[in-house]
Amino acid sequence: MTKAEVVNEISERTGIEKAVVQESIESFFKVVKGSIVKGENVYFRGFGSFVVQRRAQKIARNISKNTQITIPAHNIPKFKPAKTFVEKVKNG
Amino acid sequence: MTKAEVVNEISERTGIEKAVVQESIESFFKVVKGSIVKGENVYFRGFGSFVVQRRAQKIARNISKNTQITIPAHNIPKFKPAKTFVEKVKNG
């Protein structure tokens, strides 16, 4: 599914105008991204959590060229699905 | 952040009523979960994709009890953040 299809389905299910659903969902993505960029996790009970994970500095080697580069410590966004979500998918 | 806080922020940013935002977001979670349970991936450009990953059957051992159990093949939900999201978090 794409965003347009998801917006259509939400609009059909709820009766809320497509344009309003679309604006809500786009704002939702911005708010979640903004929070993660600030290092603040976002928790949605029954769906899952968007969290920031820290990756330590590491040294990567290119064996064939015999060189090495240092990858500095950095953050990555992660999603941890809720238990109920995991169970539904497992048994689905 | 919790769902209530995210809903508040979306409502403030967009001017859409809180109750309408909340219904849209809750429906959003249901639609995404429903799609993944059916085995259909969901793509949101600029945010990321919710995808189904297959885990093969595996045999787990309990060394101290000297027993083994078979974990059947199953699906798990995964989120792959968009490149732009990853870059923003890395440099944020």
Side-chain angles (χ1 to χ4, degrees), chain B residues 30-87:
Chain B
K30 281 185 199 151
V31 171
V32 171
K33 280 203 277 189
S35 183
I36 295 301
V37 168
K38 281 188 295 182
E40 204 186 325
N41 298 341
V42 192
Y43 304 97
F44 298 111
R45 189 167 296 186
F47 183 71
S49 310
F50 293 92
V51 300
V52 188
Q53 276 187 359
R54 188 83 183 147
R55 286 282 173 267
Q57 173 184 305
K58 72 174 179 184
I59 293 165
R61 290 189 183 77
N62 183 326
I63 304 290
S64 57
K65 287 188 188 162
N66 198 25
T67 55
Q68 66 182 41
I69 55 166
T70 303
I71 298 166
H74 60 279
N75 293 330
I76 56 167
K78 280 272 174 184
F79 175 69
K80 294 185 183 172
K83 257 191 190 165
T84 52
F85 190 0
V86 172
E87 287 302 316

Side-chain angles (χ1 to χ4, degrees), chain A residues 1-3 10 16 24 27-30 33 35 37 40-44 46-47 74-75 79 90 92, chain B residues 1-3 10 13 16 24 27-29 33 35 37 40-44 46-47 74-75 79 90 92:
Chain A
M1 292 182 96
T2 62
K3 184 171 72 186
I10 294 171
I16 300 167
S24 300
S27 182
F28 170 84
F29 295 144
K30 279 184 200 152
K33 281 203 278 189
S35 183
V37 168
E40 204 186 326
N41 298 342
V42 192
Y43 303 97
F44 297 112
F47 184 71
H74 60 279
N75 293 330
F79 174 69
K90 189 195 279 181
Chain B
M1 291 182 98
T2 63
K3 184 171 71 186
I10 294 171
R13 282 176 179 225
I16 300 167
S24 300
S27 183
F28 170 84
F29 294 144
K33 280 203 277 189
S35 183
V37 168
E40 204 186 325
N41 298 341
V42 192
Y43 304 97
F44 298 111
F47 183 71
H74 60 279
N75 293 330
F79 175 69
K90 190 195 278 181

Side-chain angles (χ1 to χ4, degrees), chain A residues 68-79:
Chain A
Q68 66 180 42
I69 54 165
T70 302
I71 298 166
H74 60 279
N75 293 330
I76 56 167
K78 279 272 174 184
F79 174 69

Side-chain angles (χ1 to χ4, degrees), chain A residues 3-72:
Chain A
K3 184 171 72 186
E5 289 168 328
V6 170
V7 166
N8 280 349
E9 191 168 329
I10 294 171
S11 179
E12 277 167 26
R13 283 176 179 226
T14 60
I16 300 167
E17 250 184 88
K18 265 187 217 178
V20 174
V21 172
Q22 179 158 340
E23 206 183 339
S24 300
I25 300 306
E26 273 165 8
S27 182
F28 170 84
F29 295 144
K30 279 184 200 152
V31 171
V32 171
K33 281 203 278 189
S35 183
I36 296 301
V37 168
K38 282 188 293 182
E40 204 186 326
N41 298 342
V42 192
Y43 303 97
F44 297 112
R45 190 167 296 187
F47 184 71
S49 310
F50 293 92
V51 300
V52 189
Q53 276 186 359
R54 188 83 183 149
R55 286 280 173 269
Q57 173 184 306
K58 73 174 179 184
I59 293 165
R61 290 190 182 76
N62 183 325
I63 305 288
S64 58
K65 287 188 186 163
N66 197 24
T67 55
Q68 66 180 42
I69 54 165
T70 302
I71 298 166

Side-chain angles (χ1 to χ4, degrees), chain A residues 16 20 23-24, chain B residues 7-25:
Chain A
I16 300 167
V20 174
E23 206 183 339
S24 300
Chain B
V7 166
N8 280 349
E9 190 168 329
I10 294 171
S11 179
E12 277 167 26
R13 282 176 179 225
T14 60
I16 300 167
E17 252 184 87
K18 264 188 215 177
V20 174
V21 172
Q22 179 157 340
E23 207 183 339
S24 300
I25 299 307

